[in-house]
Amino acid sequence: MSHRFMFMAASLLAFSTLAQSTLASAAPKYEEVAARYVTTACAVPCDKPQSSRWYFWRGENRVEIRDASNEVGEIWRRDGKGRLNFVYVEPAHQRGIEYNATDLRIINHKRPWDRLASIISPAELKKLGPAGDTEVLGHKAQRYRGKMDQRTVEVVWVPDLQLATQVINTYPDRQVTTELESFLTQQDGVMATSDDQLAEYQLVDFADLGDMETNASMAWLKQATAAPGHETHAH
């Protein structure tokens, strides 16, 4: 069930493992974005690429990422003090697992907000060099390129959206590319999960997983292998 999402998550991790950054003192304002991305990975030479499509919704204090199959996704929310909480969701089954800030720290699943909201943070861009201008779906964009560890990193950045629309990581033996395919419109018929919809989900606190997995009606928890920290409660 979770193979495609796990591929997407692994692909995202490949470019999100740039050096950790701290939040800027003057936090940027984020325009709402609804978009479709595709992540493609392949061994070099790229004979058999594997692709995974996913949706991205961003508000000022909320980010949702969902596999295009609608099987699994994740919702990040930020409160007035900058604290994050996270929900792993299975939209097709209307269920999920909730994590608070302590849970995220324990399982080492903390994420900087500016990276979640922008795919790659402005601070991380400073580690790369400018490589010219371009245009993405009607928006002026800037190219960046540089070496990071054992890979070459290329980024296309849209300043007015504070958003990366392409990230290419080229390693000695493989390449991972994440690229914006389109902005979503009402005609696409794909919407972010509303708070009202989430309230109807069967949600379990991460801290309660050990007890809940013994409940026959919650057997799905053992199969939620894409959920962060799942191995912590594996039997």
Side-chain angles (χ1 to χ4, degrees):
M1 176 191 68
S2 60
H3 179 268
R4 283 172 291 182
F5 182 76
M6 292 180 71
F7 167 72
M8 180 199 78
S11 301
L12 281 171
L13 182 61
F15 69 77
S16 67
T17 50
L18 291 169
Q20 291 284 341
S21 64
T22 56
L23 292 174
S25 57
K29 294 293 184 181
Y30 297 104
E31 292 188 25
E32 291 190 1
V33 171
R36 179 189 292 108
Y37 279 81
V38 60
T39 295
T40 301
C42 62
V44 176
C46 192
D47 295 326
K48 297 180 179 180
Q50 295 183 336
S51 295
S52 177
R53 285 174 169 77
W54 46 281
Y55 299 114
F56 173 86
W57 291 275
R58 182 189 73 188
E60 180 62 25
N61 293 298
R62 189 182 191 278
V63 169
E64 179 174 355
I65 297 171
R66 188 192 307 163
D67 180 66
S69 69
N70 207 42
E71 291 181 353
V72 288
E74 54 186 54
I75 298 172
W76 294 85
R77 293 175 293 194
R78 178 175 64 164
D79 67 16
K81 295 183 178 180
R83 294 171 300 194
L84 300 186
N85 67 72
F86 169 79
V87 188
Y88 161 84
V89 291
E90 296 182 356
H93 302 286
Q94 293 189 314
R95 61 197 185 196
I97 302 171
E98 293 184 298
Y99 302 71
N100 60 32
T102 300
D103 297 329
L104 295 174
R105 185 179 68 253
I106 290 172
I107 64 174
N108 195 29
H109 197 68
K110 295 177 66 177
R111 297 290 184 270
W113 180 257
D114 54 355
R115 182 185 297 161
L116 288 169
S118 300
I119 307 299
I120 186 172
S121 74
E124 291 167 331
L125 284 181
K126 294 180 180 180
K127 300 180 183 296
L128 307 174
D133 298 326
T134 186
E135 185 174 299
V136 177
L137 299 177
H139 293 269
K140 292 182 179 180
Q142 300 165 344
R143 294 186 180 276
Y144 292 85
R145 181 184 175 93
K147 287 282 189 178
M148 191 72 65
D149 300 325
Q150 299 298 313
R151 66 188 186 276
T152 298
V153 182
E154 300 172 75
V155 175
V156 175
W157 175 260
V158 176
D160 65 342
L161 294 178
Q162 292 288 296
L163 184 69
T165 57
Q166 184 185 67
V167 180
I168 303 174
N169 280 275
T170 303
Y171 300 82
D173 61 343
R174 69 190 189 281
Q175 184 177 81
V176 180
T177 300
T178 291
E179 187 168 17
L180 172 71
E181 280 196 322
S182 65
F183 292 110
L184 299 174
T185 67
Q186 289 186 342
Q187 285 67 36
D188 290 298
V190 184
M191 305 292 290
T193 305
S194 69
D195 288 342
D196 287 343
Q197 288 173 318
L198 194 60
E200 297 297 322
Y201 277 33
Q202 180 185 38
L203 296 176
V204 179
D205 287 337
F206 176 75
D208 295 334
L209 286 190
D211 296 329
M212 298 299 292
E213 285 180 349
T214 61
N215 188 323
S217 66
M218 305 297 287
W220 65 272
L221 290 170
K222 292 184 179 181
Q223 307 303 319
T225 55
H230 180 273
E231 66 280 359
T232 303
H233 297 279
H235 296 287

